[in-house]
Amino acid sequence: MKLDYIDLTNLKPSPLNVRKHGGDYVTDLLPSIRSLGLLQPLLVRPEGDGFEIVAGQRRFTACQALVAEGCDLGPLPCLIMAEGDDAAAIEASLAENIARLPMDEIDQYEAFAAMLKQGRACEDIAAHFGVTERLVKQRLAVANLYPPILNAYRRDEIAPATLRILTMATMRQQKAWWKLHKAEDGWAPTGVQLKSWLFGGAHVPTSNARFDLADYPGTIVTDLFDDASYFAECDTFWELQNQAISALVERYRTEGWTNVVLHEVGAYWCSWEYQSVGKDDGGAIHITCTADGEVQIHEGFLTRKEAQRHERQPEGSKSTPQAELTRPLQNYLDLHRHAAVRTTMLQHPSAALRLMVAHAIAGSSLWQVKPDPQRAENKAIADSLAECSAETTFQAEREAIAELLGRDPAETIVRETTYGVGAGEDLLTIFKHLLELNDETVMRILTFVMAETMVVSGALIDELGQFFAVDMRSHWAPDEAFFTLLRNKSALNAMVAELAGTEVAKSHLTSTAKVQKSILRDCLNGTRPAKVENWQPQYMQFPMAMYGQAAEKISSPAAKAA
């Protein structure tokens, strides 16, 4: 950027200037410029034969007014930007105007939206201009507003509170509200009534149905004063609508969309948090559904963070779908599966001997030697493990081994040592003690030591679980910690299909995680009929099996057995 002096006639406002309203108010600037001249340079960039003003529109307007009065200001001081940098021009204009005369919400939205198209993320825009990320998102929400509503708001015909609520409405709802607002004898809801009208009403219009109306057995109410008609029985509507959405999800997966995301009913689609990405580049199908049953499909989108990760991937590689298991749930599963496998190992000393030999040859992340630390992600997981029958059995064996070794049960059986540093001081004492024990007792101790030093997670647990034919039903049952950690909606719905049946799962496809978990609990405690007894999630199989969003159809356990 360089400073130069440019004649007033060679300057004009830039269309990129974010201020569209309020720029004519310059009364406060006139006295200062009249007496001292223009002290702060305008920010300009080359355009045609002259220059366009990126920041400083009010100062420019004030100078024009003074020249019209007969003042001789001469050439104006200007900072000249590089040509063609639209994103930088928008940033400069917005940064200046945010600190001066406030722009209205529409100007701010248009500026933020322009920067978003230039590749800026919401958090970047907020940090750059010293505003909250929430403010940026609030302004971007205006993107979904019906243009006549925006124009009416600027004419002060619509209150700000009403405008904010309308940003959560679909375009169909906005047009319907606008029709009521403009009608002479109509009533357009506002405030609490508007929220109820958008999200909480029991009137579900038949136009929202994704199924054949002939399949609906209930009553349809027709409005005598409008063309609209409504379902009288909402529960029946949702059963049929969920089945239709389920078929829609299966169709997209059949068409090759590996990731179909079904959002909670009533969840607002924040378009600024997503970026359009093609199917072949890992884009996902996002399905949203309003409280009155309107289904919207957003085809080919990733969150901006997912899109950025995808752009950093090597060319030709496939995008990694969102993990089905959260880290705490993976930790929970690892610890319980590990507890069951190592307790079962106590009955297989020959396998423990061979595994120990394999460790000696190949080494492992634990072969230093030290016991696995058994770290739980949180207290709930730790409490769940402490109550697990496999863990209590293993602790009882620990006390017995300590007695065989002549040691205090409160002490650690396997002392942690560092590889290559040397053995502990009691190595010779323990060795002499083992010489006095028979082979069977030594093998029992060896088996315990192998189980104590076995790493919690990894392919080894799966392999041993298969070899020992471990049945997790003997060691674990679904508890509250498991249900608390379980969050993946697709996996939850698949579990409902296993335990309560495919039809129940389809009917609750869009139900909340809380509702679907309650169905699982009811099946387990006998409140609701269960398709299988002593049900276990696929996570507790050996090897572990995922439910996965890409599965075309999850059948019931009875169907699998057949």
Side-chain angles (χ1 to χ4, degrees):
M1 241 183 302
K2 68 176 182 176
L3 178 65
D4 202 351
Y5 288 83
I6 302 173
D7 191 87
L8 189 68
T9 58
N10 290 329
L11 296 172
K12 62 179 180 180
S14 170
L16 292 173
N17 191 296
V18 298
R19 184 184 300 282
K20 302 295 187 285
H21 298 270
D24 296 333
Y25 178 75
V26 296
T27 306
D28 56 326
L29 300 179
L30 294 177
S32 172
I33 299 176
R34 184 183 289 113
S35 60
L36 302 174
L38 185 61
L39 299 179
Q40 184 177 356
L42 306 176
L43 188 62
V44 303
R45 66 175 188 171
E47 172 62 26
D49 296 332
F51 297 86
E52 60 180 18
I53 302 167
V54 173
Q57 179 178 321
R58 293 180 66 238
R59 278 168 280 151
F60 171 71
T61 303
C63 290
Q64 284 182 315
L66 290 172
V67 169
E69 290 178 3
C71 294
D72 183 13
L73 298 178
L76 303 181
C78 297
L79 286 172
I80 303 175
M81 297 178 60
E83 188 173 2
D85 191 350
D86 286 356
I90 294 169
E91 288 185 10
S93 176
L94 187 56
E96 172 159 312
N97 281 289
I98 278 182
R100 287 179 172 76
L101 187 65
M103 299 178 292
D104 70 10
E105 292 169 313
I106 312 304
D107 279 349
Q108 288 181 350
Y109 153 65
E110 290 173 349
F112 290 153
M115 291 184 64
L116 200 68
K117 289 181 180 179
Q118 294 289 340
R120 305 296 199 275
C122 289
E123 56 267 29
D124 295 335
I125 297 173
H128 188 89
F129 298 110
V131 297
T132 64
E133 189 174 340
R134 182 180 180 183
L135 173 67
V136 175
K137 291 182 177 181
Q138 286 173 342
R139 295 299 180 261
L140 289 174
V142 181
N144 292 329
L145 284 174
Y146 186 41
I149 293 177
L150 282 179
N151 295 332
Y153 172 71
R154 276 185 151 160
R155 295 192 301 268
D156 293 328
E157 296 177 8
I158 298 175
T162 299
L163 186 82
R164 295 186 187 108
I165 297 174
L166 285 170
T167 62
M168 296 182 286
T170 66
M171 187 58 66
R172 176 190 61 81
Q173 291 171 321
Q174 290 175 35
K175 290 180 178 179
W177 183 90
W178 178 250
K179 184 178 180 181
L180 292 173
H181 178 78
K182 294 299 292 179
E184 293 183 2
D185 56 349
W187 171 78
T190 59
V192 176
Q193 290 83 5
L194 177 55
K195 282 189 176 180
S196 177
W197 187 78
L198 290 175
F199 312 120
H203 300 298
V204 178
T206 56
S207 58
N208 288 347
R210 284 272 171 170
F211 53 86
D212 190 336
L213 294 182
D215 295 333
Y216 175 73
T219 303
I220 293 179
V221 180
T222 302
D223 189 339
L224 297 177
F225 300 95
D226 199 352
D227 294 332
S229 56
Y230 303 89
F231 294 104
E233 293 84 16
C234 288
D235 290 343
T236 305
F237 161 79
W238 279 110
E239 288 181 10
L240 295 170
Q241 189 79 333
N242 280 332
Q243 292 176 14
I245 294 173
S246 176
L248 184 66
V249 170
E250 291 184 14
R251 178 171 67 80
Y252 274 114
R253 288 174 177 162
T254 302
E255 292 174 357
W257 292 91
T258 58
N259 193 6
V260 181
V261 182
L262 193 61
H263 294 254
E264 295 277 357
V265 172
Y268 180 58
W269 173 253
C270 302
S271 58
W272 58 86
E273 293 182 354
Y274 295 85
Q275 184 171 321
S276 179
V277 177
K279 177 170 67 174
D280 295 337
D281 293 327
I285 295 290
H286 290 263
I287 300 176
T288 58
C289 187
T290 62
D292 63 354
E294 180 185 0
V295 176
Q296 291 186 313
I297 300 167
H298 310 275
E299 187 173 301
F301 283 93
L302 290 177
T303 65
R304 291 190 174 273
K305 290 185 179 179
E306 290 172 340
Q308 289 171 1
R309 285 197 300 268
H310 176 75
E311 289 173 359
R312 291 194 294 267
Q313 288 181 337
E315 187 176 352
S317 62
K318 292 186 177 180
S319 179
T320 303
Q322 185 176 0
E324 178 176 325
L325 305 180
T326 62
R327 191 176 71 176
L329 179 54
Q330 183 68 63
N331 174 241
Y332 172 95
L333 298 169
D334 285 343
L335 289 171
H336 276 288
R337 289 157 54 82
H338 180 266
V341 170
R342 72 177 186 174
T343 297
T344 307
M345 177 181 280
L346 300 177
Q347 308 303 319
H348 296 267
S350 61
L353 177 62
R354 285 159 178 77
L355 183 59
M356 182 165 279
V357 173
H359 274 67
I361 294 173
S364 83
S365 60
L366 295 180
W367 195 256
Q368 291 180 344
V369 176
K370 63 178 181 181
D372 188 278
Q374 295 281 287
R375 293 191 181 95
E377 290 273 347
N378 55 48
K379 185 177 183 301
I381 296 176
D383 292 343
S384 174
L385 185 66
E387 296 173 4
C388 171
S389 63
E391 187 65 12
T392 55
T393 301
F394 194 86
Q395 296 305 325
E397 180 68 359
R398 183 195 303 277
E399 295 178 5
I401 295 298
E403 184 177 352
L404 289 173
L405 292 172
R407 302 175 67 170
D408 184 349
E411 294 181 0
T412 303
I413 300 298
V414 179
R415 303 283 178 86
E416 182 173 347
T417 60
T418 303
Y419 178 77
V421 173
E425 295 180 357
D426 60 348
L427 174 62
L428 185 57
T429 302
I430 295 173
F431 176 69
K432 288 181 178 180
H433 187 81
L434 290 173
L435 289 176
E436 298 173 2
L437 303 176
N438 59 37
D439 290 347
E440 183 179 355
T441 303
V442 172
M443 185 62 73
R444 179 182 177 184
I445 295 171
L446 172 61
T447 303
F448 175 86
V449 169
M450 183 61 254
E452 180 85 51
T453 59
M454 185 170 58
V455 67
V456 161
S457 59
L460 177 62
I461 296 298
D462 272 330
E463 189 64 32
L464 290 172
Q466 293 178 81
F467 179 77
F468 298 148
V470 174
D471 185 354
M472 288 299 295
R473 294 175 178 83
S474 302
H475 306 282
W476 175 86
D479 59 9
E480 195 55 38
F482 172 74
F483 284 117
T484 300
L485 295 167
L486 188 60
R487 296 178 182 176
N488 184 275
K489 287 289 296 297
S490 295
L492 261 173
N493 194 250
M495 291 180 190
V496 171
E498 288 181 340
L499 193 52
T502 304
E503 292 304 315
V504 175
K506 287 184 177 180
S507 296
H508 288 276
L509 187 66
T510 59
S511 296
T512 63
K514 181 178 179 181
V515 170
Q516 299 202 52
K517 288 178 184 180
S518 69
I519 294 173
L520 294 175
R521 291 189 184 95
D522 289 345
C523 288
L524 292 172
N525 63 30
T527 306
R528 175 191 284 263
K531 296 292 184 180
V532 291
E533 295 181 0
N534 298 322
W535 172 80
Q536 295 271 291
Q538 295 183 27
Y539 301 145
M540 290 301 187
Q541 295 178 5
F542 294 97
M544 177 190 282
M546 295 291 168
Y547 290 95
Q549 292 181 328
E552 291 185 4
K553 184 176 181 181
I554 298 177
S555 60
S556 67
K560 291 181 179 178

